[in-house]
Amino acid sequence: MTQNLPLASIPLIDLGAQRRRLGAAVDAAIMKVVDHGAYIMGPEVFALEKALSEFCGARHSISCSSGTDALALILMAKGVKPGDAVLCPSFTFAATAEVVAWLGASPVFVDVHAETFNLDRASLEQGLVTAKAAGLRPVGVIAVDLFGQSADYDAIEPFCAENGLWLLDDAAQSFGGSYKGRKIGTIGMATATSFFPAKPLGCYGDGGAVFTDDDGIADVIRSLRIHGQNNEDKYDNQRIGMTGRMDTIQAAVLIEKLKIFGDEIVARNIVAARYNEALASLVDVPRVPEDLVSVWAQYTILLRGRDRTEFAARLKAQGIPTAIYYPRPLHQQTAYRRYPVAGNGLPVSDRLAVEVISLPMHPYLDEALQSRVIESVRAALA
């Protein structure tokens, strides 16, 4: 008697495939650090920062302990304080608003475009009015490049300039991409990214980086990430800082991964194009304008009113994993409900939270495996 055995699950993000390609080089890089023993601020940290600047074109690349700390370091360098308001999207990961609240300031939640999941200028205008009406001092905007695609900076940058606001690019999911010929890392007064293992460029633990062309901000951030020390005399602490350094081993891992990152971005775009061609008639697929390059941190679709729970269960039964980024926008979460919301609400963020679902996406998703995903999606929607 033949038994119906469950299909083997495929990974949502296949870090193992990347390790099979790079494992020997990464292991050698790690052992080099182990042997020289400079585990904190070793030579690989500075080599990585140089390589990151060469890759994205930023004058200063400053490694740090996580993407969240990268955001925090920038806000600390800008002197964000209680009474300040920072406009940011609600449809994003908590770190974007968390760092604002850390400093006693107020995030003001703004809505996004349904097509791109990124900041909507019209809602930014409403958010500015809301902040002022609440007696807050609007000081800046954090634009998130969600799922790998950059925000609409042709709309956001003039808004910031007209209203005297700085612009911080939260590129935790988009480093490696570009906006109309401008590399991510060179937009706004500073950019923050994350090297969490599941990111397009990820290390073997936590890590992040700040990018800026501003010499003054760079000097302050280098001080803040090591307890606020004097960059010339480490026992003369000039500021209240943090332990925000990147471990040397993580820098060594990233140096090796950065060498193949360009190839992986190309591969990610090929995978996304195959998905779009196959699924556009069935679901709302993500679209990226021709003059933008996404790094496809996630491949996220909208189900056009279908039951998401049932859809995910049907795919799981076929060994196809899914993920939901994000099932609850920040303004609906317990810790953030007390903060202002632009206008009369954020209807797009509310709707996306119940409709989005992400499919397997990584540069090693070959055509055969991807065809299996696509056929399973079609069957689940039938």
Side-chain angles (χ1 to χ4, degrees), residues 65 79 124 162 188 343 352 356 377:
S65 45
L124 278 172
E162 291 161 13
L352 290 176
V356 295
V377 169

Side-chain angles (χ1 to χ4, degrees), residues 24-48 204 246-256:
V26 170
D27 290 352
I30 291 172
M31 288 309 301
K32 183 178 178 181
V33 177
V34 172
D35 289 340
H36 68 55
Y39 305 129
I40 303 295
M41 299 303 288
E44 286 82 358
V45 170
F46 303 101
L48 172 66
Y204 281 5
M246 175 184 285
D247 293 340
T248 308
I249 285 177
Q250 302 304 338
V253 171
L254 287 166
I255 288 170
E256 297 306 317

Side-chain angles (χ1 to χ4, degrees), residues 15-27:
L15 295 178
Q18 185 193 58
R19 174 142 183 84
R20 288 189 289 275
R21 176 180 179 183
L22 268 185
V26 170
D27 290 352

